[in-house]
Amino acid sequence: MSEQTSSKNYSFQAEVAQLLHLVTHSLYSNPEIFLRELVSNASDACDKLRFEGINHPEFYENDPDLRVRLILDQDNRTITISDNGIGLTAQEAIDNLGTIAKSGTKDFMSKLTGDQKSDAHLIGQFGVGFYSGFIVADKIVVESRRAGVSEDQAVRWISGGTGDFEVQEITKASRGTDIILHLREDASDYLASYKVKQIVNKYSDHISLPIQMQKEVWQEEEVAEGEEPKGGQYVKTDEWESINSASALWTRSKSDVTDEQYVEFYKNLTHAFDEPLVWSHNRVEGNTEYTQLLYIPSKAPQDIFTRDAKAGIKLYVKRVFIMDDADNLIPNYLRFVQGVVDSADLPLNVSRELLQESRDVKLIREGNARRVLTVLDGLAKSEDEKDQAKFKQFFAEFGSVLKEGLGEDAANKERILKLLRFATSTNDEISTSLAAYKERMKEGQKAIYYVTADSLNAAKNSPQLELFKKKGIEVILMADRVDEWAMNFVHEFDGIAMQSIAKGAVDLGDLQDADEKKALEQAQEQFKPIIEKLTDALKDKTKDVRVTTRLVDSPACLVTSEGELSPQLVRMLKQAGQAIPDVKPTLEINPEHPLVKKLEETGQFDDLANIIFDQAVIAEGGLPEDPAAYVKRINSLLIK
Ligand code: ADP
Ligand code: MG
């Protein structure tokens, strides 16, 4: 088919020789990626022809349908990756296959340490482009004819992957490039068509070009008449069939994709059985160019709260699969989002390390976060009942994960707050938004009040709530583990202060009338001696003791100072194994409560003081420091 007329030897650029040595002498962790690299090059070559073909339609010759073909030759132990793309001139072959031009590989080379083991690991993470062929081949022959060049000006490039390569002038009828890999002894796997199909499926299914192989048919063994055939074999036909779907769903325009196709793709992508709640598919242009196809699942995975919960975004670069679980592409608090990002700007050989530093990746991450929040906002605001039901389900499944964003993503805090839904002291259902709460605020109310507890029930019955109930002021109840932590980052919503009713002294401002304020002042005066005695009796356990009007039925409650960790958060952090300094709470007592009134009469002031304190601890979900002592004190009082 091709006829040689001249031949010349060249040496590889020093860096290439070094790289080749490494490729061939290191244990390659993932040899099959050679196919991804070579198919990707073939696809690039077709893209280039498409581009140049705009001004030079004659480049298409009589062969307009661009494709990549994989040809397995068991007899000669070769696999050929053949494209009808732009092709190479002899000079281009010398330049492009003999030197390292691309910055990614140079970067990669500079990271090599000379230590075989760690270098092998590095190679596994980077693709090494064309040279990756030498992982599986001990000889590579490239035959190419550039589009628009006459048949007798084609080139053959031959190398054993050591110091040099040979370039010959040949005749080649078909346009484009054939990369012929002479497989090493240990690389026979790649002569099996099922294996090759599998790899293409894994890495290159979404290449938008058909990747074809020769169709095989099963031929039974010939047997004498009357006998049953015992075996047979697959034989190649002259027909070519595509082994990839040839059109990445996300590269199509939205209007060309049906809902069913989106759902099917989601299932393929996630191997999940649920249907996605919603999805969003966009081409983003600007400082960095990419396509995003993001799904919000309808069910949270089991491991959503474990440390190794994986992000669900797959990264592609120009339709070539790069990696799963690219957690740099979505903030952690949106780790439930599944989908695909296809970047036009990242290098194909991008590693996880590189992803962390990339400016493009940062822009993509921010763009993805904004997109997800916008989609959720759309659902939340929609009048459509179906959308409302979807939002409700979303929040039930992922609401507490989303709250992590309050601490993690300062830029989107306001948008996240708008999406949150809460139970309140007047509405058990987790359905009240902060905006709705604000609408219902009483005249004169200056803050959005909330209380956090270990459960909704505990929140609902917390002593701190008593006065608010009495006065008919709605209070937001929070019982997610993350609430207490997340609320540390939230100080206001839409210009209104957010105030924990368990933190600091209650200041109901205009909601408290003059009489009530006066009564408090009187009580403070009257209880001064008792407060002093209490402060003394509880000096090891409390920071301060004071009179309050926030209580109605309970004798006392614990409060934390603004900006301090609450006892509940301290408990949580300690359970998580963190070393947390003890914070002493403030004890507030209810001067109207009979137990408080009787404090002095019992003659057991110390016991009663400790009981009141321990009960306040219990009321907010904790345990007395010394439960046995607590029981003893109670019993001694009961006996009396
Ligand atoms: P990259 O693809 O990142 O440029 P590679 O090492 O994969 O790096 O390829 C090196 C160069 O070799 C390509 O840039 C291209 O110029 C040339 N090349 C490789 N394969 C082909 C092909 N099938 N057709 C045309 N040119 C090719
Ligand atoms: Mg390449």
Side-chain angles (χ1 to χ4, degrees):
M1 176 168 154
S2 49
E3 196 182 299
Q4 178 201 333
T5 54
S6 81
S7 178
K8 215 175 156 193
N9 275 356
Y10 296 84
S11 294
F12 281 117
Q13 183 194 27
E15 279 118 315
V16 178
Q18 193 189 342
L19 179 64
L20 282 170
H21 180 84
L22 243 149
V23 167
T24 46
H25 287 82
S26 303
L27 289 167
Y28 211 106
S29 59
N30 201 11
E32 65 193 26
I33 62 111
F34 83 90
L35 199 55
R36 172 186 79 187
E37 294 293 327
L38 299 182
V39 166
S40 145
N41 283 350
S43 160
D44 287 350
C46 291
D47 282 346
K48 279 180 206 157
L49 176 63
R50 233 179 249 130
F51 182 73
E52 291 194 18
I54 299 169
N55 290 323
H56 297 277
E58 73 277 10
F59 280 5
Y60 282 103
E61 301 171 8
N62 294 321
D63 187 11
D65 297 324
L66 302 178
R67 45 72 189 154
V68 181
R69 285 181 174 166
L70 305 178
I71 303 141
L72 308 182
D73 181 340
Q74 280 82 6
D75 296 337
N76 294 308
R77 295 184 51 82
T78 61
I79 171 168
T80 299
I81 296 94
S82 167
D83 67 67
N84 57 354
I86 194 71
L88 292 158
T89 62
Q91 194 55 48
E92 283 170 335
I94 294 165
D95 292 344
N96 298 337
L97 306 179
T99 56
I100 299 179
K102 53 179 185 171
S103 57
T105 311
K106 277 196 177 142
D107 257 14
F108 160 71
M109 295 293 291
S110 71
K111 290 197 174 155
L112 296 180
T113 60
D115 169 44
Q116 190 147 318
K117 222 171 144 197
S118 65
D119 287 351
H121 176 72
L122 254 178
I123 293 187
Q125 303 220 331
F126 283 75
V128 286
F130 172 76
Y131 303 111
S132 63
F134 286 108
I135 304 163
V136 296
D138 48 19
K139 178 174 157 193
I140 299 183
V141 178
V142 178
E143 294 184 351
S144 189
R145 177 166 72 77
R146 203 181 193 287
V149 165
S150 68
E151 295 191 359
D152 57 0
Q153 297 203 6
V155 61
R156 178 185 291 138
W157 178 104
I158 308 166
S159 178
T162 47
D164 53 3
F165 58 91
E166 198 181 327
V167 174
Q168 304 170 350
E169 211 170 87
I170 58 164
T171 299
K172 182 174 184 285
S174 58
R175 176 195 66 229
T177 306
D178 296 347
I179 312 271
I180 305 149
L181 306 178
H182 292 260
L183 294 172
R184 293 173 190 279
E185 281 304 323
D186 58 2
S188 306
D189 275 10
Y190 307 106
L191 290 173
S193 58
Y194 83 91
K195 177 77 185 175
V196 170
K197 282 179 190 166
Q198 204 180 14
I199 300 171
V200 168
N201 207 294
K202 182 165 171 192
Y203 293 107
S204 313
D205 190 48
H206 301 295
I207 294 274
S208 62
L209 210 60
I211 301 171
Q212 304 173 335
M213 284 179 82
Q214 261 168 303
K215 200 170 176 171
E216 291 176 338
V217 291
W218 181 253
Q219 199 173 60
E220 283 175 353
E221 195 181 305
E222 281 191 37
V223 287
E225 269 214 24
E227 265 182 58
E228 283 289 302
K230 288 189 202 69
Q233 60 177 346
Y234 278 107
V235 289
K236 291 188 187 112
T237 65
D238 290 341
E239 223 180 301
W240 293 91
E241 62 177 356
S242 285
I243 58 169
N244 64 330
S245 25
S247 138
L249 181 113
W250 65 87
T251 61
R252 295 189 224 155
S253 110
K254 266 192 249 195
S255 52
D256 294 342
V257 186
T258 64
D259 282 0
E260 289 73 30
Q261 285 172 325
Y262 276 121
V263 170
E264 208 37 57
F265 183 73
Y266 168 83
K267 288 183 179 169
N268 261 311
L269 190 74
T270 60
H271 307 289
F273 298 103
D274 65 332
E275 304 250 320
L277 265 188
V278 272
W279 57 85
S280 182
H281 180 193
N282 314 279
R283 194 187 309 278
V284 184
E285 277 159 18
N287 291 328
T288 187
E289 220 179 289
Y290 60 99
T291 299
Q292 56 181 191
L293 172 54
L294 305 173
Y295 291 91
I296 296 175
S298 50
K299 279 261 164 286
Q302 294 271 319
D303 64 355
I304 187 88
F305 283 115
T306 63
R307 250 169 227 271
D308 42 40
K310 291 224 169 94
I313 308 289
K314 279 194 198 324
L315 175 64
Y316 285 77
V317 172
K318 299 187 197 89
R319 301 186 301 275
V320 179
F321 173 68
I322 305 294
M323 66 178 82
D324 274 318
D325 313 320
D327 47 5
N328 290 300
L329 297 179
I330 195 97
N332 194 40
Y333 72 97
L334 298 176
R335 58 186 173 273
F336 50 84
V337 175
Q338 304 280 329
V340 167
V341 163
D342 190 342
S343 160
D345 297 329
L346 287 171
L348 249 186
N349 55 2
V350 70
S351 67
R352 281 187 198 271
E353 285 87 339
L354 231 71
L355 278 185
Q356 262 165 24
E357 295 153 16
S358 158
R359 191 190 68 107
D360 293 294
V361 169
K362 184 169 170 278
L363 291 170
I364 294 173
R365 180 172 59 237
E366 290 168 358
N368 283 346
R370 276 197 304 275
R371 174 59 54 187
V372 172
L373 295 176
T374 302
V375 167
L376 291 172
D377 192 51
L379 279 188
K381 282 197 187 127
S382 168
E383 305 271 307
D384 186 332
E385 262 176 44
K386 270 198 210 136
D387 287 347
Q388 285 169 11
K390 281 180 183 176
F391 184 76
K392 204 172 154 189
Q393 183 170 354
F394 159 77
F395 199 76
E397 292 290 323
F398 302 110
S400 49
V401 187
L402 183 69
K403 285 175 183 171
E404 294 172 16
L406 297 174
E408 243 178 64
D409 188 354
N412 286 311
K413 192 156 78 178
E414 197 73 13
R415 308 181 66 170
I416 297 168
L417 277 176
K418 279 187 189 151
L419 293 172
L420 301 186
R421 298 291 180 268
F422 301 98
T424 75
S425 52
T426 57
N427 180 4
D428 278 350
E429 210 188 319
I430 300 181
S431 63
T432 300
S433 66
L434 291 176
Y437 176 98
K438 198 181 151 195
E439 284 283 300
R440 300 202 288 258
M441 272 173 33
K442 285 203 135 181
E443 217 176 288
Q445 185 177 343
K446 296 234 165 54
I448 297 172
Y449 295 108
Y450 68 91
V451 61
T452 55
D454 291 345
S455 68
L456 272 186
N457 240 340
K460 220 163 137 182
N461 295 316
S462 79
Q464 285 96 341
L465 207 64
E466 290 166 4
L467 176 67
F468 290 85
K469 273 192 201 148
K470 188 172 145 196
K471 287 187 158 292
I473 303 169
E474 188 174 15
V475 174
I476 291 175
L477 310 178
M478 301 188 187
D480 275 338
R481 279 176 75 92
V482 64
D483 286 329
E484 176 72 46
W485 172 83
M487 290 309 289
N488 278 317
F489 301 94
V490 180
H491 306 293
E492 58 158 57
F493 170 76
D494 201 9
I496 312 257
M498 302 263 320
Q499 202 191 325
S500 162
I501 62 168
K503 283 207 167 160
V506 260
D507 178 13
L508 290 182
D510 297 347
L511 294 173
Q512 222 156 10
D513 57 37
D515 286 351
E516 284 169 322
K517 282 179 187 160
K518 209 163 160 206
L520 175 64
E521 277 163 26
Q522 271 175 3
Q524 277 167 342
E525 197 50 39
Q526 187 194 339
F527 274 75
K528 226 177 189 163
I530 294 186
I531 295 289
E532 272 167 22
K533 276 179 84 175
L534 273 174
T535 311
D536 193 47
L538 299 172
K539 64 175 181 296
D540 294 338
K541 296 179 171 171
T542 63
K543 194 159 112 180
D544 191 20
V545 181
R546 64 183 178 225
V547 170
T548 185
T549 51
R550 78 168 96 211
L551 299 172
V552 178
D553 303 322
S554 302
C557 69
L558 300 178
V559 290
T560 320
S561 308
E562 281 304 340
E564 237 173 33
L565 301 180
S566 72
Q568 204 192 320
L569 189 56
V570 169
R571 269 204 305 283
M572 208 173 98
L573 293 173
K574 278 187 173 164
Q575 271 169 19
Q578 296 203 32
I580 299 292
D582 275 319
V583 218
K584 287 184 196 167
T586 293
L587 183 73
E588 288 193 348
I589 59 162
N590 175 3
E592 298 298 324
H593 198 279
L595 206 57
V596 174
K597 284 184 170 160
K598 285 213 168 90
L599 256 171
E600 295 233 85
E601 298 166 25
T602 55
Q604 280 181 287
F605 190 93
D606 261 29
D607 280 344
L608 205 49
N610 275 290
I611 288 173
I612 288 176
F613 177 84
D614 283 346
Q615 284 185 342
V617 172
I618 294 172
E620 62 109 60
L623 264 185
E625 212 173 69
D626 185 350
Y630 169 75
V631 171
K632 220 162 147 187
R633 286 194 183 108
I634 291 270
N635 288 347
S636 96
L637 275 180
L638 283 176
I639 290 162
K640 273 195 150 178

